[in-house]
Amino acid sequence: MKRYGMLNSSIAKVLSDLGHTDYIVIGDAGLPVPEGVPKIDLAVTAGTPSFQMVVSAILDDMVVEKVIAAEEIVGNNKTQHEFIEQLTEEKVEYVSHEAFKELTKQAKAIIRTGEITPYSNCILQSGVFF
């Protein structure tokens, strides 16, 4: 049994299979999942687990070179916007919510949280471990 790191076996498998520039999506409870993209559903109840809890746990195990979020988060969810801005040393890339949903089609997996606040979604682009 693993002692440290990601204990969820589905997420651990996705993380170990990532290559440079691959995407994983951390989404709120309402983010649509494109056909063909695996969904790892962690939602238990409204708000549990939270978006921030899941993103933080994944960042403990993943090298991220870029974060992508919907530009609508800036004016519609100050708490999550501030959280996303502090995730990495790299600048966050913002795209329209429609463009964000298009990008999710390229994801290796979408991890669904119990988050129910608007635009609590991000794409983590895998980096290179040095």
Side-chain angles (χ1 to χ4, degrees):
M1 179 169 182
K2 283 184 73 168
R3 180 184 299 230
Y4 303 107
M6 182 57 60
L7 296 179
N8 181 289
S9 61
S10 298
I11 296 173
K13 171 79 170 115
V14 168
L15 293 177
S16 67
D17 287 343
L18 289 175
H20 184 220
T21 73
D22 283 343
Y23 289 168
I24 64 166
V25 178
I26 315 303
D28 59 30
L31 184 69
V33 177
E35 190 172 326
V37 176
K39 174 176 72 172
I40 301 170
D41 194 345
L42 303 179
V44 177
T45 60
T48 305
S50 72
F51 172 75
Q52 291 185 17
M53 178 185 292
V54 174
V55 171
S56 295
I58 288 171
L59 289 178
D60 285 344
D61 267 7
M62 181 180 175
V63 177
V64 174
E65 73 177 16
K66 180 165 58 171
V67 178
I68 303 169
E71 61 195 7
E72 288 86 348
I73 197 173
V74 176
N76 293 294
N77 196 331
K78 181 181 178 182
T79 300
Q80 302 298 27
H81 176 234
E82 290 174 356
F83 173 74
I84 285 174
E85 282 287 323
Q86 298 174 21
L87 289 180
T88 67
E89 296 176 7
E90 305 299 323
K91 187 174 179 173
V92 178
E93 179 181 329
Y94 294 97
V95 298
S96 72
H97 190 58
E98 288 306 312
F100 182 91
K101 290 190 287 187
E102 281 297 311
L103 289 172
T104 66
K105 294 177 181 178
Q106 301 172 39
K108 298 296 181 182
I110 294 181
I111 301 168
R112 180 179 178 241
T113 69
E115 190 67 51
I116 57 170
T117 62
Y119 304 104
S120 295
N121 310 295
C122 69
I123 296 171
L124 304 177
Q125 180 175 306
S126 182
V128 177
F129 183 72
F130 297 112

